[in-house]
């Protein structure tokens, strides 16, 4: 089945540093990937839509300069949390939709998430 | 805008009990509806989906019926197992032509714990 690999699974960083999270589709191509943030006991909040070869589309209220997204190829998107602060601590999840046969009701394939802790 | 509301959790059941997790939605157009499951330490996996009114999605003994008249997509299973313990998310994807084409809107998730 379709596999999305997200790395790292856990990261602890100091306040003020930057952290990069990678999201790879291992056996399919994904022109579009999505980045979500999940708060404890809360739902997934869409942060941005990552588009290969073009700028990401950010949801309202998400700081573009803090959460940098780069979709360098059809199998890789990265999220960089810049100048991280403790309030950025959260669970970040990426997802991708297989380009083959894509329609609006095609299921998303999710990575296992990255637990970010900023100290 | 689109929204999904799930029943409050957590839900705790004994093995072989009947499960219902309620889900209602608001959306423009004709959304597709999904249930995703997140097992401990893992990412989300698609459990089942329905793409139009009166469709029934089913998988692994779980089922849900797309009810347009009540804007609901309740998840049911007749006999749960310990291995079903997970977080369950109801979600919708706006139909073709909508401004949110292809995006998923999630409910808040319901934690299910099944005891032997």
């Amino acid at each position: 089945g379709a596999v999305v690999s997200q790395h790292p699974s856990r990261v602890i960083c100091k306040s003020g540093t930057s952290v990069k999270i990678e999201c790879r589709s291992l056996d399919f191509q994904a022109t579009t990937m999505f980045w979500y943030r999940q708060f404890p006991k809360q739902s997934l909040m869409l942060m941005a839509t990552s588009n290969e070869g073009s700028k990401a589309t950010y949801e309202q209220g998400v700081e573009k300069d803090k959460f940098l997204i780069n979709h360098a190829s059809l199998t890789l998107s990265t999220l960089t949390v810049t100048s991280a602060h403790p309030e950025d601590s959260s669970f970040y999840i990426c997802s991708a939709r297989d380009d083959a046969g894509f329609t609006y009701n095609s299921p998303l394939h999710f990575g296992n998430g990255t637990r970010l802790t900023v100290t | 805008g689109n929204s999904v509301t799930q029943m409050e959790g957590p839900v705790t059941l004994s093995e072989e009990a009947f499960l219902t997790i309620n889900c209602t939605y608001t959306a423009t157009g004709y959304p597709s509806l999904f249930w995703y499951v997140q097992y401990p330490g893992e990412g989300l996996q698609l459990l089942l989906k329905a793409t139009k009114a009166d469709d029934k999605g089913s998988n692994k003994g779980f089922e849900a019926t797309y009810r347009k008249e009540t804007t609901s997509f309740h998840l049911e299973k007749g006999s749960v197992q310990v291995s079903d313990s997970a977080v369950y998310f109801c979600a919708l994807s706006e139909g073709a032509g909508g401004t949110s084409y292809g995006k998923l809107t999630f409910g808040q998730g319901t934690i299910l714990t099944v005891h032997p």
Side-chain angles (χ1 to χ4, degrees):
Chain A
V3 177
V4 173
S5 174
Q6 190 172 338
H7 179 80
S9 58
R10 289 179 179 273
V11 58
I12 300 172
C13 70
K14 292 186 176 181
S15 188
T17 62
S18 296
V19 173
K20 180 184 285 189
I21 302 170
E22 292 188 347
C23 180
R24 293 180 184 273
S25 56
L26 297 187
D27 48 4
F28 64 95
Q29 293 186 332
T31 299
T32 302
M33 295 186 180
F34 302 91
W35 286 96
Y36 292 86
R37 183 172 179 176
Q38 186 178 25
F39 294 96
K41 299 184 180 180
Q42 292 189 32
S43 186
L44 286 75
M45 301 300 296
L46 179 65
M47 299 174 65
T49 302
S50 172
N51 303 296
E52 189 271 337
S54 64
K55 292 183 179 180
T57 304
Y58 289 82
E59 296 300 301
Q60 192 171 11
V62 177
E63 298 177 61
K64 301 178 182 181
D65 294 333
K66 167 164 276 296
F67 299 102
L68 299 179
I69 291 172
N70 182 32
H71 199 139
S73 73
L74 289 174
T75 59
L76 174 64
S77 175
T78 60
L79 168 67
T80 301
V81 183
T82 63
S83 187
H85 292 284
E87 58 266 29
D88 298 324
S89 298
S90 192
F91 193 59
Y92 294 87
I93 303 176
C94 73
S95 67
R97 188 171 269 123
D98 192 339
D99 282 349
F102 165 72
T103 68
Y104 71 92
N105 58 28
S106 299
L108 291 181
H109 305 290
F110 285 81
N112 283 353
T114 297
R115 174 72 60 192
L116 170 63
T117 303
V118 184
T119 61
Chain B
N2 298 335
S3 68
V4 177
T5 303
Q6 287 180 235
M7 66 183 287
E8 292 280 337
V11 174
T12 303
L13 296 172
S14 297
E15 207 165 24
E16 299 183 3
F18 184 85
L19 169 71
T20 300
I21 301 178
N22 290 339
C23 171
T24 57
Y25 68 90
T26 58
T28 55
Y30 302 93
S32 289
L33 302 173
F34 304 82
W35 277 99
Y36 281 83
V37 58
Q38 185 178 28
Y39 296 104
E42 298 183 17
L44 276 73
Q45 304 172 27
L46 177 67
L47 181 60
L48 54 84
K49 73 175 186 180
T51 59
K52 61 183 187 296
D54 299 325
D55 264 4
K56 177 185 284 187
S58 60
N59 185 27
K60 299 181 181 179
F62 291 89
E63 59 182 34
T65 301
Y66 189 148
R67 301 285 187 201
K68 197 170 190 297
E69 64 277 14
T70 55
T71 61
S72 65
F73 193 54
H74 304 321
L75 181 68
E76 296 182 337
K77 186 174 185 180
S79 176
V80 293
Q81 305 300 312
V82 172
S83 57
D84 294 326
S85 298
V87 183
Y88 292 81
F89 292 93
C90 186
L92 71 81
S93 176
E94 188 169 314
T99 57
S100 303
Y101 183 82
K103 291 182 189 175
L104 283 180
T105 300
F106 285 90
Q108 66 268 41
T110 302
I111 300 172
L112 171 65
T113 303
V114 181
H115 292 299

